[in-house]
Amino acid sequence: MTEDTHVFGDGRLGASVRAHGAELCGLRADGRDLLWGGHEPWRRQAPVLFPIVGRLVDDTAWIGGQGYRMTQHGFARDSEFRWLERDETGCRLELVDTPATRQMFPFAFSLVIEYRITQGRLTVGYCVTNPDSTHVLPASLGAHPAFIWPLAPDVPKDRHVIEFDQPEPEGIRRLKGGLLLPESFPTPIKGRVLHLDESLFTMDALILDRPASRGVTYRIPDGPGLRLTWDGFAQLGIWMKPGGDFICIEPWHGLASPVGFMGDFSARPGVFHLQPGQEWRASWQVGCI
């Protein structure tokens, strides 16, 4: 354990979190790494997406008629959080607005993230608060954990599946240049099962903008797997980068800006709006099966 990294667990599941980005940077069970290592071709592991999910048109947020430059997925993933609590089963961290964040996003905010392991299961909770006494806070937040793929040595990637808790017959959304295309595409999910293959991601992420499920099982049939559930999130993204041995299962509350969108930031799809003093909460959980 260091000032920058906190290590914790319960004997069944172990994790580590960095202050930089409040990013989950390790997850292990039974001597196995469950989280991607964060090397090429994607040097992140589980970034926090805030105050946007996805990309803005021209990397510009229009707020009250003024343009603010903010790159893909926002600034939280590259910010230094402060520790609020650290113990043997978890930690809490906070990011608040500063003069630097106000240059990109002219709002007051508090983002608290809590990591906790109990009974072999990791829970990650988020609380966004609007401390401003006069202005509404518009924001989005998403999780972006990258789990190893394949889950076991010598098992082909295309033997893995993601099983949804409910049938998912609705069409999916896709991206072009990181921006949301207007049309819906036929879903590759057959009933409740998505058979994983790298070719699914040639057009970037698979996006379920109205998922019926609030949980999935990522596994090898008749082999090891992970169970992931979420609360408070409205969308789900699934993504991998070609050449990477990982699959990201991403609960979101927010979407990339639509292609050609030039409206006010507050009108972006999936933005939540917090009145003065109001808070927004969401969480996701993962464990081995």
Side-chain angles (χ1 to χ4, degrees):
M1 188 182 303
T2 66
E3 180 59 31
D4 178 64
T5 304
H6 182 63
V7 180
F8 57 98
D10 67 350
R12 295 167 58 186
L13 186 68
S16 52
V17 170
R18 280 192 292 263
H20 186 79
E23 185 171 4
L24 181 70
C25 57
L27 190 66
R28 290 178 60 83
D30 301 322
R32 296 185 296 125
D33 284 316
L34 306 175
L35 197 70
W36 164 249
H39 44 79
E40 294 296 341
W42 191 58
R43 298 190 67 83
R44 300 183 188 267
Q45 296 175 273
V48 176
L49 316 183
F50 177 86
I52 60 174
V53 171
R55 188 177 293 281
L56 300 163
V57 175
D58 297 328
D59 287 339
T60 301
W62 291 96
I63 300 171
Q66 182 173 342
Y68 295 84
R69 182 170 174 79
M70 187 164 31
T71 55
Q72 183 176 14
H73 294 323
F75 51 75
R77 62 182 184 164
D78 296 314
S79 298
E80 201 72 19
F81 284 64
R82 70 183 184 99
W83 300 107
L84 298 179
E85 180 184 350
R86 305 172 72 175
D87 61 34
E88 66 277 5
T89 64
C91 59
R92 292 171 62 239
L93 309 93
E94 183 182 32
L95 180 69
V96 298
D97 60 288
T98 66
T101 68
R102 291 285 188 122
Q103 294 297 312
M104 298 177 278
F105 184 65
F107 297 99
F109 68 86
S110 164
L111 167 58
V112 174
I113 303 177
E114 180 170 9
Y115 293 87
R116 190 68 53 189
I117 290 178
T118 55
Q119 298 182 337
R121 191 165 179 82
L122 172 68
T123 298
V124 186
Y126 308 85
C127 180
V128 180
T129 304
N130 179 8
D132 195 304
S133 61
T134 57
H135 294 89
V136 174
L137 169 63
S140 290
L141 188 146
H144 201 317
F147 303 107
I148 59 167
W149 181 29
L151 281 166
D154 303 321
V155 177
K157 284 186 173 183
D158 61 9
R159 283 205 59 223
H160 293 64
V161 298
I162 294 177
E163 296 178 342
F164 291 79
D165 285 358
Q166 302 293 331
E168 298 288 352
E170 299 295 328
I172 61 168
R173 307 295 298 275
R174 303 304 299 249
L175 302 170
K176 182 177 182 180
L179 301 174
L180 190 68
L181 289 167
E183 66 267 37
S184 178
F185 292 79
T187 180
I189 302 167
K190 306 301 182 185
R192 297 192 303 111
V193 179
L194 175 66
H195 293 272
L196 290 175
D197 188 279
E198 289 194 14
S199 64
L200 291 170
F201 305 100
T202 55
M203 289 182 63
D204 209 311
L206 309 179
I207 300 170
L208 285 73
D209 58 347
R210 297 186 305 274
S213 303
R214 289 295 176 267
V216 298
T217 302
Y218 161 52
R219 68 182 182 89
I220 303 165
D222 302 318
L226 298 175
R227 170 75 176 154
L228 188 143
T229 59
W230 59 90
D231 299 287
F233 292 102
Q235 292 87 27
L236 185 72
I238 303 172
W239 176 78
M240 64 86 62
K241 188 167 187 175
D245 292 332
F246 65 85
I247 187 77
C248 292
I249 303 172
E250 311 176 37
W252 298 339
H253 200 300
L255 293 164
S257 291
V259 171
F261 177 82
M262 297 302 291
D264 192 82
F265 179 87
S266 63
R268 292 180 79 244
V271 167
F272 53 80
H273 300 84
L274 300 183
Q275 298 297 320
Q278 190 177 11
E279 65 181 30
W280 174 89
R281 291 179 178 270
S283 64
W284 60 275
Q285 306 80 33
V286 68
C288 296
I289 58 167

